[in-house]
Amino acid sequence: MAVFNQVDFDNHEQVVFCSDKESGLRAIIAVHNTNLGPAVGGCRMWDYVSDDDAVVDALRLSKGMTYKNAVARLPFGGGKSVIIGNAKEIKSEQLFRAFGRQLERLNGSYYSAEDVNITCGDVAIMNKETNYVLGLEGKSGNPSPFTAYGTFLGIKAALQHQRGHQDLTGIKVAVQGLGAVAYSLCKYLYEAGATLFVTDINQAAIDRVVNDFAATSVSIDEIYDLDVDVYAPCALGATVNDATIARIKATIIAGCANNQLAESRHGEIIRKKGILYAPDYVINAGGIINVYYETAPEGYSAEASNKHVEGIFNTLTEIFARSEKEQKSTHLIADELAQEIIKNGL
C-alpha cells in the first residue's frame, strides 16, 4: 500500500496506522492540515472491503474536514479516523479504550468525535483514556440534530437560488440513507410540507420514517430514477457518479453525506445538466459547528451553536451566486473559498 501515491493523498501531515492485538483494533487516523488549528473530525466504523478502501476513505474525509472547518469559520484543522470492522460484531469497551490510547499518543494534533456507527457513548469510553475527544454528553452532546438543521437550511438555500422561494410545500425529496442525521432531516422536511421518498439498507429505519413522516419507501436502486425536486444523499459517499448522473431527475442535489461526488469532474457534469449541487462539506457542517461550541471559553451554548449553523444558508447563497457568475461548478467555488481561508486565516 503506497499511501504517498494514492490519488487522494493531498500532502497530508500524518497518516497513522493503529492496531491493538488484545482488542482487535485496526484503525487509521489521517491528519490533513492544521493551519487553522488542531485537526478535528469524527471517527467512523465500517467493514471495509480492503485496507486500501479504508485508507482512501480516511484521506478523502480528512481533507473534507479541513475544507469544512475552514468554510464554517472554525479554528480547526482537518482530520478523520476510521476503525475497520463490523460495528455490530466488534464494538467493545476494550476496543474504544485502545483507540483512545492511540489518540492520546498524537498529543492533541487530532481530536476525534462520533461519526458513522460511532455513538456519543463510544466517544465517552475513548475519553477514559484521552481528553482529545469532542461531542461528549453533558457538553455539546449528539451533533446529529445540528447537522440535520444545517442540511435543511441548505436545501432551502438551493430552492431560493434556483426557484426564488424557500417554500417546501409539495416539494418532492428523495432521501437516501436514514441514519440519525437523515431522520432529523426528514422531520424538518415533513414539518415544512415536503413529500418524502426514502430508502435505506435497514428496513427498521425505513419503517420508522414511513410511519412518522408519511414517507414512501422505494428500493435502494430506485431512488435515482424518481421524478423528484431534490435528491438528498445521506448515506456513504460517491453516489453521484457516471452510472447515476444520467438517471437523476432532481434539479437539486443537497444532502448530509460526505464525498457525494465520486470524482471532481462530476461536479461540472451535473452543473451543465442544470442540477444545483450544495457542496457536501458546506451543507453538512452543522455537527462540527456544534462540537466547536464545546470548546468555547464561555462554555457550551446551543443558542450560539444554532446561530452559527444558520450561517450555512448565507455561505451556500454566496457559493451559488459565484458559481453562476463564474460558470464554474459549486464544489470548485467552495474549494476556492476554503483554500482562501486556509491560506489567509479566519
Side-chain angles (χ1 to χ4, degrees), residues 3-4 8-15 30-33 55 58-64 66 78-79:
V3 174
F4 296 118
D8 295 295
F9 182 80
D10 184 59
N11 294 313
H12 283 68
E13 294 177 11
Q14 286 181 296
V15 181
V31 175
H32 176 249
N33 185 287
V55 170
L59 293 176
R60 294 192 73 185
L61 290 167
S62 56
K63 179 181 177 181
T66 297

Side-chain angles (χ1 to χ4, degrees), residues 33 35-36 66-67 70 335-346:
N33 185 287
N35 281 12
L36 298 178
T66 297
Y67 284 26
D335 286 356
E336 290 174 2
L337 178 61
Q339 289 160 5
E340 289 166 11
I341 295 168
I342 294 163
K343 180 180 178 181
N344 300 319
L346 298 172

Side-chain angles (χ1 to χ4, degrees), residues 31-106:
V31 175
H32 176 249
N33 185 287
T34 57
N35 281 12
L36 298 178
V40 178
C43 173
R44 70 172 42 179
M45 182 179 286
W46 196 256
D47 196 10
Y48 293 97
V49 173
S50 69
D51 291 351
D52 281 356
D53 287 349
V55 170
V56 168
D57 211 24
L59 293 176
R60 294 192 73 185
L61 290 167
S62 56
K63 179 181 177 181
M65 286 306 304
T66 297
Y67 284 26
K68 179 186 294 190
N69 291 335
V71 173
R73 270 71 173 189
L74 299 176
F76 290 157
K80 204 78 173 184
S81 52
V82 300
I83 296 176
I84 300 169
N86 187 324
K88 295 180 180 179
E89 297 175 358
I90 71 166
K91 276 193 175 187
S92 69
E93 176 163 352
Q94 190 179 27
L95 182 137
F96 289 119
R97 292 189 75 139
F99 184 69
R101 291 192 292 274
Q102 297 287 350
L103 295 175
E104 183 68 19
R105 290 188 180 106
L106 294 180

Side-chain angles (χ1 to χ4, degrees), residues 19 52 67 83 91-92 102 104 143 149 154 163 168 172 199-200 224 233 244 268 271 296 306 330 333:
S19 67
D52 281 356
Y67 284 26
I83 296 176
K91 276 193 175 187
S92 69
Q102 297 287 350
E104 183 68 19
Y149 182 46
R163 306 188 184 188
L168 279 150
K172 298 176 181 177
T199 194
D200 194 277
Y224 302 108
T244 62
E268 183 64 11
R271 185 188 74 83
N306 263 322
T330 54
I333 296 295

Side-chain angles (χ1 to χ4, degrees), residues 45-306:
M45 182 179 286
W46 196 256
D47 196 10
Y48 293 97
V49 173
S50 69
D51 291 351
D52 281 356
D53 287 349
V55 170
V56 168
D57 211 24
L59 293 176
R60 294 192 73 185
L61 290 167
S62 56
K63 179 181 177 181
M65 286 306 304
T66 297
Y67 284 26
K68 179 186 294 190
N69 291 335
V71 173
R73 270 71 173 189
L74 299 176
F76 290 157
K80 204 78 173 184
S81 52
V82 300
I83 296 176
I84 300 169
N86 187 324
K88 295 180 180 179
E89 297 175 358
I90 71 166
K91 276 193 175 187
S92 69
E93 176 163 352
Q94 190 179 27
L95 182 137
F96 289 119
R97 292 189 75 139
F99 184 69
R101 291 192 292 274
Q102 297 287 350
L103 295 175
E104 183 68 19
R105 290 188 180 106
L106 294 180
N107 201 32
S109 63
Y110 166 69
Y111 285 72
S112 190
E114 65 88 36
D115 194 28
V116 177
N117 288 325
I118 299 291
T119 68
C120 292
D122 300 330
V123 176
I125 297 173
M126 300 175 196
N127 189 218
K128 293 179 179 180
E129 300 287 346
T130 183
N131 289 321
Y132 300 127
V133 291
L134 296 169
L136 295 166
E137 292 289 356
K139 294 185 179 179
S140 66
N142 182 5
S144 296
F146 296 87
T147 305
Y149 182 46
T151 304
F152 173 68
L153 294 175
I155 291 173
K156 294 183 74 172
L159 279 172
Q160 179 65 48
H161 179 82
Q162 190 181 76
R163 306 188 184 188
H165 68 81
Q166 301 174 37
D167 186 6
L168 279 150
T169 305
I171 295 293
K172 298 176 181 177
V173 184
V175 182
Q176 179 188 48
L178 299 172
V181 175
Y183 178 85
S184 295
L185 173 62
C186 287
K187 185 175 189 292
Y188 279 118
L189 292 168
Y190 171 71
E191 292 176 349
T195 301
L196 301 177
F197 300 83
V198 300
T199 194
D200 194 277
I201 58 174
N202 183 345
Q203 187 61 46
I206 293 173
D207 293 342
R208 184 185 182 202
V209 173
V210 168
N211 292 333
D212 291 355
F213 309 128
T216 299
S217 170
V218 301
S219 70
I220 290 174
D221 188 59
E222 187 184 358
I223 198 78
Y224 302 108
D225 300 314
L226 300 178
D227 187 10
V228 296
D229 302 288
V230 180
Y231 164 53
C234 297
L236 294 182
T239 62
V240 181
N241 54 54
D242 290 331
T244 62
I245 288 173
R247 299 166 60 186
I248 294 173
K249 297 180 177 65
T251 58
I252 292 170
I253 296 177
C256 60
N258 288 310
N259 298 326
Q260 294 170 25
L261 304 179
E263 298 177 38
S264 180
R265 62 185 178 85
H266 293 128
E268 183 64 11
I269 292 171
I270 59 176
R271 185 188 74 83
K272 289 183 176 178
K273 192 180 176 183
I275 297 173
L276 181 62
Y277 170 56
D280 45 30
Y281 62 78
V282 182
I283 194 173
N284 68 14
I288 193 65
I289 289 171
N290 186 57
V291 163
Y292 162 70
Y293 281 89
E294 184 175 315
T295 72
E298 60 274 19
Y300 175 72
S301 165
E303 183 180 354
S305 176
N306 263 322

